[in-house]
Amino acid sequence: MASLFIKNPMIAGRVERLAKQHGTSKTALIDRALDALERIEPAAFADPDMPPDDPLEWMKWHRARNPLPPKVREAGKAFFDRMWGEPD
């Protein structure tokens, strides 16, 4: 198992101090803290780039990221007649 490395020395010191106070490892302390935060507000930890499971929500999610191209023009009978060389 890899050791936990925290780049910020102030945060690393706080984690080490709290782990000693609670008689646990730094990893276990952070795991407990993250569990507590997720219980408070689980939506705050949801990955916005992950698609939802519900099909209707997935469609909204997908359409927000992949919009339809803008409508350029109306394609009516006159347009298709001109396109195929039909007389008016």
Side-chain angles (χ1 to χ4, degrees):
M1 178 184 233
S3 63
L4 177 65
F5 177 73
I6 301 172
K7 289 182 181 182
N8 185 319
M10 289 177 50
I11 301 297
R14 288 174 62 194
V15 170
E16 192 170 334
R17 180 179 49 83
L18 286 169
K20 284 181 184 175
Q21 278 180 349
H22 290 273
T24 187
S25 69
K26 292 188 284 186
T27 303
L29 178 79
I30 290 173
D31 186 45
R32 285 177 48 197
L34 291 174
D35 286 344
L37 285 171
E38 285 178 332
R39 280 192 300 274
I40 294 169
E41 192 174 348
F45 294 93
D47 186 353
D49 292 328
M50 289 295 295
D53 292 331
D54 179 51
L56 291 176
E57 290 301 316
W58 182 90
M59 288 172 60
K60 291 177 191 174
W61 175 87
H62 180 73
R63 185 55 59 215
R65 285 158 181 76
N66 303 286
L68 292 173
K71 193 178 233 184
V72 177
R73 62 177 165 216
E74 291 293 323
K77 181 177 178 346
F79 169 78
F80 285 106
D81 284 348
R82 283 190 311 276
M83 186 173 83
W84 292 107
E86 297 286 326
D88 289 332

